[in-house]
């Protein structure tokens, strides 16, 4: 059975802090790992990672994948209150099926 | 206008009722998916469809059925709703990788919040 585990499940920080969110996985037929941000509604896409060691970056957010150790991290630097959300990690396997982790609830206080 | 539209946005109903949740998309994607989200469990795949004639069960298909009426429409039915089907339901779409030449992420609708009493 495919499994994706995120940690921590909940995190509270102050504006300006840097946070690291973790995602580990055990799946068969790995194709890619994705990060989504979920505020009140639909999960919105952040990153898709397919190769180990190549950092993807978008503004203050960055992510990297380690296919040998089967994990990924999502970093957010200089956090803002607008970063408060649930961050979801998902692994795509053959047939374009996504297996999601439980999510990390990030709260950024002013 | 939203690319992936789910109706209704909210629904409260009683145990034993038949319910249909609808999803339509204007993205022209071939692939469509239904997920449910429960607190502490993330999103779990119910059914998915790669084209109008292709329907596949996901991780938790028991108690649900689907219909792919057209490329743009994919509906989810609960034949006889039960309280543990109370959840937030999401529809998602993605293009066929062979058409784009590479994998693209799934794109989600805003969800239907379903409560079964």
């Amino acid at each position: 059975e495919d499994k994706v585990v995120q940690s921590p499940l909940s995190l509270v920080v102050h504006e300006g802090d840097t946070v690291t969110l973790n995602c580990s996985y055990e799946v068969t037929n790995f194709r890619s790992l994705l990060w989504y941000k979920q505020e009140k509604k639909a999960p919105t896409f952040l990153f898709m990672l397919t190769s180990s060691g190549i950092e993807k970056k978008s503004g203050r957010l960055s992510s990297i994948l380690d296919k040998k150790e089967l994990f990924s991290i999502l970093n957010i630097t200089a956090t803002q209150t607008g970063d408060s959300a649930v961050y979801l990690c998902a692994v795509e396997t053959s047939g374009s099926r996504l297996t999601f982790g439980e999510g990390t609830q990030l709260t950024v206080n002013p | 206008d939203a690319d992936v539209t789910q109706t209704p946005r909210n629904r409260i109903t009683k145990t034993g009722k038949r319910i249909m949740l609808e999803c339509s998309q204007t993205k022209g994607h071939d692939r469509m998916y239904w997920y449910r989200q429960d607190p502490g469990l993330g999103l779990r795949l119910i059914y998915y469809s790669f084209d109008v004639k292709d329907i596949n069960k996901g991780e938790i298909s028991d108690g649900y059925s689907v219909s792919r009426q057209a490329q743009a429409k994919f509906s989810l039915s609960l034949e006889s709703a039960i309280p543990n089907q109370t959840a937030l339901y999401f529809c998602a779409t993605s293009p066929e990788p062979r058409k784009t030449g590479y994998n693209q992420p799934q794109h989600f609708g805003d969800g239907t919040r379903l409560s079964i009493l």
Side-chain angles (χ1 to χ4, degrees):
Chain A
E1 181 183 340
D2 295 339
K3 191 173 181 183
V4 177
V5 177
Q6 292 186 244
S7 63
L9 294 181
S10 179
L11 188 57
V12 181
V13 300
H14 292 291
E15 264 192 322
D17 288 350
T18 292
V19 298
T20 298
L21 309 184
N22 304 293
C23 177
S24 63
Y25 61 92
E26 290 181 35
V27 302
T28 54
N29 299 312
F30 174 92
R31 294 186 67 182
S32 64
L33 185 143
L34 299 93
W35 285 96
Y36 286 85
K37 177 182 181 182
Q38 184 179 24
E39 295 175 89
K40 292 192 186 301
K41 299 180 181 178
T44 55
F45 171 72
L46 295 174
F47 298 111
M48 175 184 274
L49 303 152
T50 55
S51 300
S52 275
I54 299 174
E55 185 183 52
K56 294 251 178 141
K57 199 169 170 65
S58 175
R60 295 176 294 102
L61 278 66
S62 63
S63 183
I64 197 161
L65 173 67
D66 185 326
K67 289 170 73 174
K68 182 179 178 185
E69 299 298 328
L70 308 182
F71 78 90
S72 173
I73 60 172
L74 175 68
N75 279 320
I76 309 175
T77 60
T79 52
Q80 302 171 357
T81 54
D83 294 326
S84 295
V86 174
Y87 290 83
L88 298 167
C89 173
V91 174
E92 181 188 16
T93 55
S94 58
S96 295
R97 294 175 61 140
L98 289 182
T99 299
F100 282 83
E102 311 95 314
T104 294
Q105 172 72 61
L106 174 66
T107 302
V108 181
N109 290 324
Chain B
D1 287 341
D3 296 321
V4 182
T5 302
Q6 293 185 234
T7 56
R9 295 295 310 279
N10 294 281
R11 179 80 184 270
I12 301 173
T13 191
K14 294 181 179 179
T15 297
K17 294 289 188 181
R18 184 178 188 275
I19 300 160
M20 180 181 286
L21 309 184
E22 302 201 11
C23 177
S24 62
Q25 52 120 344
T26 58
K27 299 181 77 66
H29 290 170
D30 292 303
R31 299 183 171 190
M32 298 186 75
Y33 311 81
W34 275 104
Y35 294 88
R36 66 177 278 177
Q37 185 175 32
D38 299 275
L41 292 177
L43 277 77
R44 292 180 292 167
L45 182 64
I46 306 172
Y47 270 96
Y48 60 106
S49 168
F50 283 177
D51 65 38
V52 175
K53 296 180 182 178
D54 178 77
I55 302 288
N56 304 281
K57 291 184 177 180
E59 182 185 350
I60 52 163
S61 59
D62 287 349
Y64 301 95
S65 63
V66 291
S67 173
R68 185 83 184 264
Q69 301 94 325
Q71 189 208 35
K73 295 183 183 294
F74 192 35
S75 60
L76 175 72
S77 293
L78 289 68
E79 296 301 326
S80 179
I82 55 177
N84 74 2
Q85 291 177 312
T86 293
L88 183 55
Y89 289 83
F90 285 104
C91 175
T93 73
S94 66
E96 165 60 51
R98 285 173 291 180
K99 287 185 178 179
T100 61
Y102 58 96
N103 259 9
Q104 289 192 33
Q106 292 180 23
H107 184 89
F108 287 81
D110 282 344
T112 292
R113 188 167 296 279
L114 179 63
S115 297
I116 300 163
L117 306 178

